[in-house]
Amino acid sequence: QVQLVESGGGLVQPGGSLRLSCAASGNIFSIYAMGWYRQAPGKQRELVATITSGGSTNYADSVKGRFTISGDNAENTVYLQMNALKPEDTAVYYCNAGVQTTTVSLNYWGQGTQITVSS
């Protein structure tokens, strides 16, 4: 069993910043990638940013230049630094991890954290 625990969401004004954290724990042999996805009301879940264990990153066009993903392999933790936030960034943000346990390789999801960008 693997658990992902997210923190750092909340309410912020347009132009503000927030930092999300996600820590993975449990039966982890290795993590090959972690990332952040988001889902706004009435919309499908979409990719925000991902990072591999080797440090390769990928961003949605809508967040390039504003968001930065980083990871700590030793702590099985991923971060998302979000700057210059816009109202359209309002969504529930979900952490995702591709995990190799001692028996299987699966994708795991966190419970989600709400981010609201509003004045």
Side-chain angles (χ1 to χ4, degrees):
Q1 189 72 3
V2 174
Q3 299 81 37
L4 301 181
V5 178
E6 301 141 338
S7 60
L11 173 65
V12 64
Q13 292 186 342
S17 298
L18 281 175
R19 188 187 194 218
L20 299 181
S21 300
C22 172
S25 63
N27 182 23
I28 298 171
F29 179 74
S30 65
I31 296 178
Y32 47 86
M34 296 186 77
W36 293 94
Y37 293 71
R38 67 187 181 187
Q39 188 167 17
K43 295 187 177 182
Q44 290 187 332
R45 190 173 298 188
E46 62 177 5
L47 178 146
V48 177
T50 60
I51 185 168
T52 69
S53 59
S56 297
T57 59
N58 181 48
Y59 294 92
D61 288 343
S62 59
V63 306
K64 283 181 181 177
R66 300 188 298 122
F67 291 10
T68 302
I69 190 169
S70 60
D72 185 333
N73 290 340
E75 298 294 330
N76 291 331
T77 300
V78 65
Y79 306 96
L80 185 69
Q81 177 66 43
M82 303 179 290
N83 299 327
L85 282 159
K86 305 175 181 180
E88 50 264 43
D89 294 318
T90 295
V92 178
Y93 283 69
Y94 296 91
C95 177
N96 175 270
V99 177
Q100 176 67 53
T101 71
T102 53
T103 56
V104 295
S105 177
L106 290 173
N107 263 316
Y108 292 89
W109 292 92
Q111 78 282 1
T113 185
Q114 176 71 46
I115 291 178
T116 301
V117 184
S118 175
S119 55

